[in-house]
Amino acid sequence: MDLLFLEPVFKQMIWGGNKLKSFGYDIPGENTGECWAISAHPNGDCIVKNGEYKGISLSTLWNEHKELFGNVSGDRFPLLIKIIDAADDLSIQVHPDDTYASINENGSLGKTECWYIVDCDENATIVIGHNAKNSDEVADMINNGKWSEFIREIPIKKGDFFQINPGCLHAIKGGTVILETQQNSDITYRVYDYDRLQNGKKRELHVKQSIEVIKAPFKEDNECKPVISDLGSCIITHFITCKYYSVEKLEINGPICFDMEDPFMNVSIIEGEGSINNIPLKKGDHFIIPANYGEYTLDGNMELIRSYI
Ligand code: ZN
């Protein structure tokens, strides 16, 4: 049985940079903001690079070979893994939940996402949450552009992890590279874009939808308590298990054997190199371990993020 190595899809963004080159990618330009690394979304459907299913998209595999994914139910591959290079600030934004999205966005899924900080500048920050006491104050602060009062900005460092639930105001700020694990959805409501211009025009805002979905007051998330297990040749940091996914970091320093027990496992190598069952791996590789793959041995000196449902 083959692992499913995927060809990433790159997106140019006004806030993007060129740091994705450090993952070994031949990026399309100096404003490359996103690498859609494991994705079956129509806006960026990854193609399998190797083996029996070489040349086939992940969405096609999901539709025609459910056995690779443990025959789990669902009309689309549930997750989307991205690496984001924010040279400049992303817009202040919020995502809807499944209920709001299915009613207002043609049956789309909502978007719960989480961020692992792969790298960031000294003194880097992100936006998570806001300072409004209730929904009326949210509307007032947005409608009257009271951004410095409204926005809650916090310091970050390499290795931090954040869960962003629907309704949570957020923004990645410049100087940050993150690995994002999210629901397979592309619905973003832009609240504020710093009055920036793209091709001479401001990007569209979604003020009405934002005010409807932003939860107030903001409550800090406490689902997210990293648990570290030291297995000798591997340190596992389990970041979260929520309704949609579990996410972990593995720091590999020598051989370690696992048994595949999940419907499928997404793996992204974010540092170093090594192997899986003697197949070489390096920073920037992304693959899915299919159901019933059995035992696999990871070896080498590398860090990876894995996710499963
Ligand atoms: Zn987001």
Side-chain angles (χ1 to χ4, degrees):
M1 189 179 268
D2 292 316
L3 299 166
L4 305 169
F5 282 87
L6 296 164
E7 192 72 63
V9 175
F10 296 96
K11 304 272 180 182
Q12 302 268 88
M13 299 287 184
I14 56 171
W15 43 261
N18 59 19
K19 286 187 184 158
L20 294 177
K21 281 181 193 165
S22 74
F23 289 84
Y25 303 140
D26 186 12
I27 56 173
E30 296 297 304
N31 292 95
T32 303
E34 298 190 348
C35 161
W36 290 28
I38 300 179
S39 165
H41 194 281
N43 295 349
D45 198 356
C46 295
I47 304 291
V48 176
K49 291 207 280 195
N50 67 303
E52 186 183 350
Y53 301 110
K54 186 176 176 176
I56 297 178
S57 69
L58 183 54
S59 66
T60 302
L61 275 191
W62 176 265
N63 291 328
E64 297 177 5
H65 291 280
K66 276 278 175 61
E67 73 281 1
L68 296 171
F69 309 97
N71 293 307
V72 293
S73 60
D75 64 354
R76 66 204 100 178
F77 183 73
L79 301 179
L80 203 169
I81 315 300
K82 292 180 187 176
I83 301 178
I84 295 177
D85 170 19
D88 197 0
D89 300 344
L90 275 74
S91 61
I92 308 286
Q93 54 186 251
V94 64
H95 305 296
D97 62 15
D98 289 339
T99 309
Y100 189 95
S102 79
I103 296 168
N104 296 287
E105 303 290 349
N106 290 320
S108 173
L109 295 177
K111 188 161 154 186
T112 297
E113 67 189 31
C114 61
W115 301 338
Y116 175 77
I117 310 295
V118 176
D119 203 4
C120 64
D121 291 347
E122 222 179 307
N123 305 318
T125 62
I126 51 167
V127 171
I128 294 189
H130 60 77
N131 300 312
K133 286 193 282 294
N134 53 45
S135 299
D136 287 345
E137 219 174 83
V138 168
D140 171 61
M141 287 178 166
I142 292 175
N143 289 327
N144 295 300
K146 298 176 182 171
W147 305 119
S148 58
E149 241 181 290
F150 182 51
I151 289 163
R152 177 178 175 271
E153 199 168 328
I154 57 170
I156 55 166
K157 60 182 189 313
K158 187 175 171 168
D160 283 348
F161 182 87
F162 300 95
Q163 170 84 344
I164 311 288
N165 285 315
C168 174
L169 191 77
H170 62 278
I172 300 168
K173 305 279 284 178
T176 311
V177 175
I178 73 165
L179 184 136
E180 181 175 73
T181 304
Q182 57 161 92
Q183 283 182 275
N184 180 1
S185 162
D186 202 18
I187 308 289
T188 294
Y189 297 141
R190 208 175 276 137
V191 183
Y192 175 51
D193 200 28
Y194 318 98
D195 301 315
R196 277 187 295 208
L197 301 179
Q198 180 173 38
N199 304 324
K201 285 195 304 199
K202 288 184 188 175
R203 296 193 295 174
E204 190 189 355
L205 298 180
H206 314 88
V207 171
K208 174 181 169 285
Q209 295 94 324
S210 299
I211 291 171
E212 282 173 3
V213 306
I214 291 171
K215 294 205 171 105
F218 167 73
K219 282 194 205 79
E220 212 163 338
D221 204 296
N222 48 18
E223 316 167 78
C224 192
K225 293 225 167 37
V227 177
I228 297 173
S229 320
D230 189 342
L231 310 178
S233 55
C234 175
I235 298 170
I236 301 179
T237 305
H238 180 94
F239 291 116
I240 193 157
T241 294
C242 72
K243 186 177 163 192
Y244 299 104
Y245 46 71
S246 292
V247 178
E248 298 171 339
K249 175 171 71 169
L250 273 63
E251 294 162 85
I252 308 284
N253 265 302
I256 176 113
C257 187
F258 295 97
D259 203 6
M260 184 60 193
E261 289 166 339
D262 302 283
F264 63 91
M265 175 84 73
N266 301 317
V267 181
S268 298
I269 313 297
I270 56 167
E271 195 59 71
E273 49 191 64
S275 62
I276 177 166
N277 290 356
N278 296 317
I279 301 161
L281 296 174
K282 62 177 189 316
K283 179 177 178 178
D285 285 342
H286 305 270
F287 58 92
I288 298 172
I289 306 174
N292 307 317
Y293 186 77
E295 283 192 353
Y296 59 97
T297 299
L298 295 166
D299 200 355
N301 288 290
M302 58 183 179
E303 280 181 34
L304 59 89
I305 301 288
R306 66 179 186 184
S307 57
Y308 48 95
I309 60 171

